[in-house]
Amino acid sequence: MAVKRGLHRNRAAGSRFPIAIFIFVLLLVPLIFFVGRGLYSSDLNDILSGPGEKNLDWRERLALQHAKSLFSKEVIDVIAASTNDMGPLSLDFFRKNNLSASWKVIGEKTPALTDPEINLTAVDDKQEASRIKVDEASGGDHAQPVDPAKLARRQLRQSRREKRATELAQHDDESIVKLENAAIERSKSVDSAVLGKYSIWRKENENENSDSTVRLLRDQIIMARVYLSIAKMKNKPDLYAQLQTRLRESQRALGDATADADLPKSAPDRIKAMGQVLSKAREQLYDCNLVTGKLRAMLQSADEQVRSLKKQSTFLSQLAAKTIPNGIHCLSMRLTIDYYLLPLEKRKFPRSENLENPSLYHYALFSDNVLAASVVVNSTVKNAKDPSKHVFHLVTDKLNFGAMNMWFLLNPPGKATIHVENVDEFKWLNSSYCPVLRQLESAAMKNYYFKADHPTTLSSGASNLKYRNPKYLSMLNHLRFYLPQVYPKLDKILFLDDDIVVQKDLTGLWSVDLHGKVNGAVETCGESFHRFDKYLNFSNPHIARNFDPNACGWAYGMNMFDLKEWKKKDITGIYHKWQNMNEDRTLWKLGTLPPGLITFYGLTHPLQKSWHVLGLGYNPSLDRAEIENAAVVHYNGNMKPWLELAMTKYRGYWTKYIKYDHPYLRSCKLSE
């Protein structure tokens, strides 16, 4: 019995082993089938928990439920890999069968869609396609027809994706167009001329350090001079001779070059040879204290030379500003010759009866420059509303009297009246009456102006260079203080300098109420340097007691003078008083503006600034609109419009009143 029971147990145990194998195979086969068909992904919960679970056969559900507990994930991954050769279903198959294109097959990577709506619907498409394929795989008898509503939803989702893709593509096109337009605008702002000079294809390609070789040569010359003096000091004749030879060669090679392109072809050889000599000199002569001392001495010497050259430059610029160009001198000479060839009866101007008529508009112009005077007269007449009511009183010196008469006889100012006088014929203007003439005849003044070996010509007297000018010797410059004596029968007169241009009708100035003042002028105290303390010596007690250092200055050049009030207040007498006190030039420097500020102190009525704009002879930053709106523009300063020093940006306001095709101007080679 025992044996039978043992045999029975062994038989029973042997019969249970095949059953276990059978169950294992039964579970493994469906798993392999589903994995091969793509129903199993890296996470089984995606299918088990999805809405497609209710469409699976009960055996399939049972196999899927127990597969995860029976096998580890590594075993399932191996099984899945082994089924890749079964051929995953292609996306073309699903498209042909109107299935979702978002079906995921193991081993195939599908790019994720960025649209949230497409991503949300992709899961439903996958589950729908999985259910359909499972139905097809289980046999035709178990296949169910596709729900029309679900098919419609799939088509709607597909159309949404296509619409979204179209919108994204259109957005990309618009972005590209915007970027292209922005690039075009940026390219317009680029200066092609500037870019062009950096082109590698151009021979004249500029180098950033275009003077590097020139600077190297200069440095070598400086050090050669240092070692030259040290070699002489330490008695090194051979080295001294070598340094001297190389120094001369380098100086010849450098010449006046300011850029490397100006240097001769031998310059590199000269630099190399000088470098060798300097290296030798450094080995034999270098002493830090000596080299430093020599460089300091050279620096001080160069500084002295710069100061001296600045003084010379100032002197020459003042000289150039006050001299008459050759063309204008030629014009004056030719006109003078022709004037004295005229018969006496042809030397008279018409309408002389207007000269003393106080009801007309009278102008005073004192000048020795024919061309400048012609511009003042022409510009005034051309801008006058009624030229026949304008009378010009010109006064010049005896050298230019014939030229001034001849010019206006040949070129009369239309219907306006003009008269030319010679200041040297004013017999009442003599040294006994006029303090300036008496001072100019003094030995001290002659010494100040004419002594050739004066020790302060370019050194200590440099600050007074602009006052060492021949114009201050001429009474034309001081005649403005004697207007009632020159024109005794006039009530008002407009004084004009010869470096102005009239741009508007000036008759409105005669109707300006001066409120009992003598002088109508435009004030210039907008800047600090146009106040009294910049013109007068307030360390002198006479000046300090009588004037305010912050009082506003005004400008000569266009001044309306009330000659009746002038006579009442004895303006000429006030001028004489202060001029006598300034015989030693301690109250002010030479000139007419400082005594004018003193003489008309408290007697000047300010005019609107638009009547008179100054600075065209020294200020390059004037407002163009202010210039063009001005009634009178004034070229005060050194850069007169008839000189080569003139600023070209302002010269056109002056030259437009000159006819350069005039025979006299052409013969003297005067041109714009």
Side-chain angles (χ1 to χ4, degrees), residues 574-611:
I574 297 173
Y575 165 70
H576 284 174
K577 170 191 170 182
W578 287 100
Q579 192 66 51
N580 283 324
M581 294 173 64
N582 193 48
E583 187 169 0
D584 56 356
R585 299 183 305 279
T586 58
L587 303 184
W588 68 85
K589 303 293 184 181
L590 295 176
T592 55
L593 182 56
L597 295 176
I598 290 177
T599 302
F600 295 100
Y601 183 68
L603 300 174
T604 300
H605 174 75
L607 300 175
Q608 292 182 358
K609 293 186 180 299
S610 60
W611 280 111

Side-chain angles (χ1 to χ4, degrees), residues 601-666:
Y601 183 68
L603 300 174
T604 300
H605 174 75
L607 300 175
Q608 292 182 358
K609 293 186 180 299
S610 60
W611 280 111
H612 186 192
V613 171
L614 300 100
L616 278 73
Y618 70 90
N619 187 359
S621 59
L622 290 174
D623 184 8
R624 178 76 65 173
E626 186 179 357
I627 295 174
E628 294 178 353
N629 292 329
V632 172
V633 292
H634 194 173
Y635 291 84
N636 58 315
N638 290 334
M639 301 179 183
K640 302 299 183 185
W642 55 83
L643 299 174
E644 292 183 2
L645 298 173
M647 286 183 277
T648 55
K649 62 187 296 186
Y650 301 144
R651 199 164 184 266
Y653 298 108
W654 189 81
T655 56
K656 70 179 181 180
Y657 293 103
I658 298 177
K659 295 181 179 180
Y660 284 99
D661 58 347
H662 194 283
Y664 279 88
L665 299 186
R666 287 205 309 268

Side-chain angles (χ1 to χ4, degrees), residues 308-377:
S308 176
L309 290 173
K310 282 184 177 180
K311 292 175 183 177
Q312 293 181 25
S313 175
T314 303
F315 175 78
L316 293 174
S317 65
Q318 293 291 337
L319 183 62
K322 307 308 176 184
T323 53
I324 299 297
N326 288 337
I328 297 179
H329 182 70
C330 165
L331 176 65
S332 179
M333 293 298 101
R334 286 180 178 272
L335 290 170
T336 299
I337 293 171
D338 291 346
Y339 175 75
Y340 288 107
L341 293 177
L342 287 176
L344 292 178
E345 61 273 12
K346 292 185 178 181
R347 298 181 186 180
K348 296 181 180 180
F349 291 100
R351 296 181 288 276
S352 59
E353 66 278 4
N354 293 336
L355 296 178
E356 296 181 347
N357 185 350
S359 63
L360 300 178
Y361 305 114
H362 294 265
Y363 300 86
L365 175 61
F366 308 148
S367 175
D368 57 0
N369 187 327
V370 176
L371 201 60
S374 71
V375 170
V376 176
V377 174

Side-chain angles (χ1 to χ4, degrees), residues 150-438:
K150 294 181 179 179
L151 182 60
R153 284 198 299 272
R154 286 199 301 271
Q155 294 175 348
L156 179 61
R157 286 192 292 270
Q158 181 68 18
S159 64
R160 287 178 180 174
R161 285 195 297 272
E162 293 175 355
K163 181 179 180 182
R164 177 60 176 167
T166 304
E167 291 176 354
L168 291 174
Q170 184 178 1
H171 178 72
D172 291 342
D173 293 340
E174 293 176 355
S175 300
I176 292 172
V177 171
K178 290 181 180 179
L179 290 173
E180 290 176 350
N181 292 336
I184 292 172
E185 292 299 324
R186 286 196 300 271
S187 66
K188 291 179 180 179
S189 64
V190 176
D191 188 356
S192 59
V194 174
L195 292 177
K197 70 179 185 181
Y198 296 105
S199 172
I200 62 174
W201 304 110
R202 294 181 57 172
K203 293 182 179 179
E204 61 270 26
N205 182 25
E206 296 184 6
N207 183 7
E208 282 187 17
N209 300 319
S210 58
D211 61 342
S212 58
T213 307
V214 171
R215 287 188 282 115
L216 178 59
L217 262 174
R218 289 172 179 168
D219 292 343
Q220 286 185 337
I221 290 172
I222 292 172
M223 292 308 301
R225 288 173 177 170
V226 172
Y227 286 125
L228 196 66
S229 61
I230 297 176
K232 186 175 182 180
M233 182 189 307
K234 292 191 174 184
N235 195 21
K236 299 282 185 179
D238 295 339
L239 185 57
Y240 180 86
Q242 294 179 32
L243 284 168
Q244 203 168 33
T245 302
R246 298 306 178 195
L247 180 61
R248 285 196 295 267
E249 292 176 352
S250 295
Q251 287 175 335
R252 283 196 296 268
L254 179 61
D256 296 328
T258 58
D260 294 350
D262 302 330
L263 293 172
K265 295 181 179 180
S266 61
D269 297 333
R270 299 285 181 259
I271 292 174
K272 184 177 179 180
M274 176 64 86
Q276 293 172 353
V277 176
L278 289 176
S279 178
K280 182 179 178 181
R282 180 171 182 175
E283 292 176 357
Q284 298 182 23
L285 304 174
Y286 184 77
D287 184 318
C288 184
N289 292 331
L290 278 176
V291 171
T292 303
K294 291 295 180 182
L295 289 173
R296 186 181 293 111
M298 292 174 65
L299 181 61
Q300 291 174 352
S301 176
D303 189 50
E304 289 294 331
Q305 290 179 5
V306 168
R307 282 199 292 267
S308 176
L309 290 173
K310 282 184 177 180
K311 292 175 183 177
Q312 293 181 25
S313 175
T314 303
F315 175 78
L316 293 174
S317 65
Q318 293 291 337
L319 183 62
K322 307 308 176 184
T323 53
I324 299 297
N326 288 337
I328 297 179
H329 182 70
C330 165
L331 176 65
S332 179
M333 293 298 101
R334 286 180 178 272
L335 290 170
T336 299
I337 293 171
D338 291 346
Y339 175 75
Y340 288 107
L341 293 177
L342 287 176
L344 292 178
E345 61 273 12
K346 292 185 178 181
R347 298 181 186 180
K348 296 181 180 180
F349 291 100
R351 296 181 288 276
S352 59
E353 66 278 4
N354 293 336
L355 296 178
E356 296 181 347
N357 185 350
S359 63
L360 300 178
Y361 305 114
H362 294 265
Y363 300 86
L365 175 61
F366 308 148
S367 175
D368 57 0
N369 187 327
V370 176
L371 201 60
S374 71
V375 170
V376 176
V377 174
N378 290 344
S379 62
T380 304
V381 171
K382 285 188 177 180
N383 290 285
K385 294 179 180 178
D386 187 359
S388 63
K389 294 183 178 181
H390 295 259
V391 181
F392 295 91
H393 302 268
L394 271 70
V395 180
T396 186
D397 55 20
K398 61 183 178 182
L399 292 177
N400 295 281
F401 177 73
M404 199 74 73
N405 276 281
M406 189 64 187
W407 177 264
F408 287 105
L409 286 171
L410 293 173
N411 307 279
K415 296 181 180 181
T417 302
I418 193 166
H419 180 61
V420 180
E421 295 181 273
N422 181 3
V423 67
D424 296 309
E425 294 179 356
F426 295 161
K427 301 303 179 182
W428 52 267
L429 196 63
N430 50 53
S431 59
S432 60
Y433 174 70
C434 178
V436 172
L437 282 176
R438 185 174 63 254

